[in-house]
Amino acid sequence: MSLINQVKLFKINQLKPHEQTSPNRLKKVSAFLHKARKFTYPIVVDLKSKVVLDGHHRMQVVKQSGCSLIPVLLVNYQSSKITVTSRRKNFAVSKKIIINRALNRQLFPLKTTKHHFNFKLPKINISLKQLIYNK
């Protein structure tokens, strides 16, 4: 399987976070997104598990705004081009631990993990209006 699959609009309720978010950071991200009225970079999600690797705050802001879709870059998390480190000395992290905690809804505290991508995120131009989905 290649590293990157594609960017596509994904239903937020199908994605699984692995970290908590900060109310203060949510306010800043919300102000930025609503001023820009668009996404310029997708959030990064593991293709297999649908675990969010990067973009928790953007996802939460979009969800709170009443949108049900979000631009996602689906990646093969097992690729050597993606690594993860812990930002907290008291938390061991690995790809396997992150996936397991996300699938079991045992979220890490805010800013526990740091993913490093050895590739450029694709630039996109998707308006917030495009993220509203009605069944």
Side-chain angles (χ1 to χ4, degrees):
M1 179 189 312
S2 65
L3 167 66
I4 298 172
N5 189 315
Q6 61 185 334
V7 175
K8 62 189 250 183
L9 292 181
F10 224 84
K11 291 182 182 178
I12 294 172
N13 63 1
Q14 293 177 328
L15 303 176
K16 300 164 185 80
H18 78 271
E19 279 188 337
Q20 298 171 353
T21 55
S22 157
N24 289 337
R25 182 79 179 130
L26 285 173
K27 287 179 191 175
K28 291 177 184 176
V29 171
S30 180
F32 176 81
L33 274 178
H34 287 96
K35 183 178 180 185
R37 296 185 189 160
K38 65 180 180 178
F39 263 79
T40 52
Y41 291 96
I43 68 169
V44 182
V45 173
D46 175 39
L47 174 66
K48 185 176 178 184
S49 66
K50 307 304 183 270
V51 169
V52 176
L53 308 177
D54 183 63
H56 289 87
H57 286 90
R58 287 176 286 157
M59 181 176 75
Q60 192 63 28
V61 165
V62 168
K63 189 175 185 178
Q64 289 174 351
S65 298
C67 298
S68 58
L69 300 173
I70 191 164
V72 166
L73 175 66
L74 295 170
V75 298
N76 173 6
Y77 193 27
Q78 300 313 311
S79 169
S80 61
K81 292 190 179 230
I82 301 172
T83 58
V84 63
T85 56
S86 179
R87 296 179 191 222
R88 298 173 183 254
K89 292 180 182 178
N90 57 334
F91 282 93
V93 299
S94 70
K95 293 176 180 181
K96 183 177 180 180
I97 291 169
I98 289 168
I99 295 294
N100 286 338
R101 285 185 71 130
L103 295 179
N104 291 305
R105 297 185 179 142
Q106 298 173 334
L107 302 183
F108 281 106
L110 162 74
K111 296 293 183 188
T112 298
T113 65
K114 172 67 179 162
H115 282 91
H116 307 273
F117 304 109
N118 190 14
F119 56 89
K120 271 188 149 183
L121 291 177
K123 205 153 188 191
I124 59 174
N125 185 7
I126 297 177
S127 74
L128 293 180
K129 288 182 181 180
Q130 289 176 268
L131 305 181
I132 297 170
Y133 173 79
N134 295 316
K135 293 182 180 180

